[in-house]
Amino acid sequence: MKPMIVDHPLLQHKISILRNKQTGTKEFRDLVGEVASLLCYEATRDLPTEEVEIETPITVAKTKVLAGRKLALVPILRAGMGMLDGMLSLIPAAKVGFIGLYRNEETLEPVEYFCKLPVDIAERDVLVLDPMLATGGSACDAVSMVKKRGAKRIKFICLIAAPEGVEKLHNAHPDVDIYVGALDECLNENGYIVPGLGDAGDRIYGTK
Ligand code: PRP
Ligand code: URA
């Protein structure tokens, strides 16, 4: 299955500012949150609703509310944390879990260092968050960790993906829908997305 590319003009505009190497830490962090909100809007489009009756100041209306599907947000540390508040601004009742992974800079293999998920994760729709889907190693491992604890309905949400990462995640977890703001050209020899935006974690936290 192809990833869902959310090509809304607002989102594309904000991703262009993120790509610019002149964009500073504060603006970068704010924009990651805003883009995450826009991705959240699209990724929750299929949430079930139910009809209720509500008394407006004018009359009684039949109208729709969310049908109580439970959600969990699982950012991959560190960079995924940059997306969390933006997602929570639209779905404030979601529970939050954390997966700590970093990429070994030589092997590009993900190294796990933390996992704390809601106890009832198996009953929740899970949105795994990471701005970057590069080789796909981190995403595949994070989804496996969530599945190991019983989750069955999982989506992966990222700002920018490389075709290599999309393919790897899809092959490993064909049941997981992928939502991306932009699908880029390729990876470079260091495993960075081209054109990409550089190292998302470093740009969000100003660590380089
Ligand atoms: C980045 C990014 C992803 C991973 C993507 O994290 O946020 O987690 O790399 O690469 P992959 O698809 O090749 O696995 P990084 O390892 O730099 O850690 P950080 O978030 O702590 O900076
Ligand atoms: N991680 C990042 O932060 N950026 C990339 O381009 C690849 C992996």
Side-chain angles (χ1 to χ4, degrees), residues 76-79 101-103 130-138 199 201:
I76 302 177
L77 305 177
R78 289 177 301 170
L101 289 173
Y102 69 87
R103 237 174 33 153
D130 195 317
M132 309 304 276
L133 178 60
T135 66
S138 305
D199 187 303

Side-chain angles (χ1 to χ4, degrees), residues 73-77 80-82 84 96-100 127-130:
L73 299 174
V74 179
I76 302 177
L77 305 177
M81 278 297 290
L84 182 60
V96 180
F98 301 91
I99 288 178
L127 304 182
V128 178
L129 315 178
D130 195 317

Side-chain angles (χ1 to χ4, degrees), residues 5-206:
I5 301 171
V6 184
D7 63 351
H8 189 286
L10 285 176
L11 193 144
Q12 297 308 316
H13 179 82
K14 290 173 194 293
I15 286 184
S16 296
I17 303 173
L18 287 171
R19 290 187 191 280
N20 188 337
K21 68 177 184 184
Q22 306 290 358
T23 301
T25 304
K26 184 192 180 307
E27 190 181 5
F28 191 92
R29 194 162 48 221
D30 291 348
L31 284 164
V32 168
E34 289 169 23
V35 172
S37 296
L38 294 166
L39 291 168
C40 181
Y41 179 78
E42 203 53 48
T44 52
R45 186 177 279 285
D46 58 355
L47 282 179
T49 56
E50 63 191 7
E51 202 169 75
V52 293
E53 275 194 0
I54 285 180
E55 216 177 322
T56 78
I58 310 297
T59 184
V60 173
K62 284 193 196 326
T63 182
K64 287 182 178 169
V65 293
L66 291 174
R69 179 80 72 78
K70 294 174 167 180
L71 294 168
L73 299 174
V74 179
I76 302 177
L77 305 177
R78 289 177 301 170
M81 278 297 290
M83 299 171 68
L84 182 60
D85 285 349
M87 304 284 294
L88 282 171
S89 67
L90 292 194
I91 42 174
K95 293 272 166 62
V96 180
F98 301 91
I99 288 178
L101 289 173
Y102 69 87
R103 237 174 33 153
N104 177 307
E105 282 180 15
E106 266 134 44
T107 65
L108 300 183
E109 290 297 319
V111 181
E112 179 186 335
Y113 62 90
F114 190 69
C115 183
K116 182 85 181 168
L117 299 174
V119 282
D120 60 352
I121 190 96
E123 296 155 30
R124 293 181 175 271
D125 286 14
V126 179
L127 304 182
V128 178
L129 315 178
D130 195 317
M132 309 304 276
L133 178 60
T135 66
S138 305
C140 285
D141 277 17
V143 169
S144 296
M145 289 160 76
V146 170
K147 280 187 176 173
K148 210 164 89 186
R149 285 156 181 87
K152 285 172 199 67
R153 291 182 304 271
I154 303 168
K155 293 177 179 176
F156 184 83
I157 321 289
C158 63
L159 272 56
I160 298 183
E164 294 89 329
V166 170
E167 191 180 346
K168 181 165 179 163
L169 180 56
H170 177 66
N171 288 341
H173 300 290
D175 53 311
V176 171
D177 291 335
I178 305 171
Y179 290 78
V180 308
L183 183 59
D184 276 9
E185 286 161 27
C186 58
L187 296 175
N188 70 12
E189 61 284 6
N190 300 317
Y192 278 85
I193 298 175
V194 180
L197 50 70
D199 187 303
D202 284 339
R203 294 199 65 193
I204 292 169
Y205 300 109

